């Protein structure tokens, strides 16, 4: 993800927590906050130490970033997104993470068009 597509500052994270709307499934929590000015979407990722060691946490973050990279055409712009990983995410591979992220984005109604995970998989 490019620098302008990341939420990095604690102040920005707190604003999304307080003002944003949340949607969840078993593996992830999504906070979404609409921005006033026209800009591409930004993403913040939070993976707690309760989930696993540094290797496991970094793998989950890589999977989330890649899932958003592949879904970037379908995700609405002018939003800030905050993804919080839950414990079951530690045991998932990339395709499971992507389908779970797609599911939580659909629940939050932030996808531009419906995309099904079956066509995205390549074996």
């Amino acid at each position: 993800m490019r620098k302008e597509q990341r939420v990095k500052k604690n102040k920005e994270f707190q604003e999304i927590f307080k003002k944003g709307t949340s949607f969840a499934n078993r593996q992830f929590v999504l906070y979404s906050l609409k921005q006033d000015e026209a800009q591409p979407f930004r993403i913040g990722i939070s993976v707690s130490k309760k989930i696993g060691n540094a290797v496991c946490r970094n793998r989950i973050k890589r999977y989330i970033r890649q899932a958003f990279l592949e879904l970037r055409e379908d995700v609405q712009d002018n939003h800030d997104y905050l993804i919080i990983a839950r414990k079951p995410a530690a045991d998932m591979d990339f395709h499971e993470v992507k389908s779970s992220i797609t599911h939580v984005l659909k629940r939050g109604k932030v996808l531009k068009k419906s995309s099904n995970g079956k066509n995205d998989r390549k074996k």
Side-chain angles (χ1 to χ4, degrees):
M1 309 271 349
R2 294 186 322 230
K3 195 171 187 175
E4 58 269 7
Q5 288 184 290
R6 291 180 290 187
V7 177
K8 294 295 276 184
K9 298 186 186 211
N10 185 35
K11 182 177 145 187
E12 295 171 339
F13 271 87
Q14 295 305 320
E15 182 181 7
I16 297 169
F17 274 129
K18 290 177 184 169
K19 297 179 182 175
T21 56
S22 67
F23 307 94
N25 60 12
R26 294 184 69 86
Q27 296 86 14
F28 298 102
V29 179
L30 169 74
Y31 282 86
S32 173
L33 179 65
K34 186 162 175 55
Q35 293 299 321
D36 297 331
E37 65 271 357
Q39 64 181 9
F41 71 87
R42 296 189 314 158
I43 179 174
I45 301 171
S46 176
V47 182
S48 171
K49 285 186 178 181
K50 293 178 185 178
I51 299 214
N53 62 10
V55 175
C56 179
R57 294 193 309 269
N58 287 329
R59 184 180 64 242
I60 293 168
K61 288 188 272 189
R62 280 195 315 271
Y63 288 168
I64 293 169
R65 277 190 221 103
Q66 185 62 33
F68 264 90
L69 196 63
E70 292 182 10
L71 294 169
R72 71 178 173 263
E73 300 298 322
D74 300 332
V75 176
Q76 291 181 2
D77 289 334
N78 299 335
H79 281 77
D80 286 344
Y81 300 108
L82 188 58
I83 298 286
I84 301 169
R86 289 181 167 172
K87 191 87 169 155
D91 301 324
M92 298 170 70
D93 67 4
F94 171 70
H95 295 292
E96 292 170 330
V97 168
K98 184 177 177 186
S99 65
S100 182
I101 292 284
T102 304
H103 175 257
V104 80
L105 288 170
K106 283 181 184 176
R107 288 192 72 180
K109 296 179 176 65
V110 293
L111 289 179
K112 291 178 186 172
K113 58 184 178 181
S114 65
S115 63
N116 55 3
K118 293 177 185 171
N119 293 337
D120 295 340
R121 289 188 180 196
K122 293 185 173 118
K123 291 184 178 180

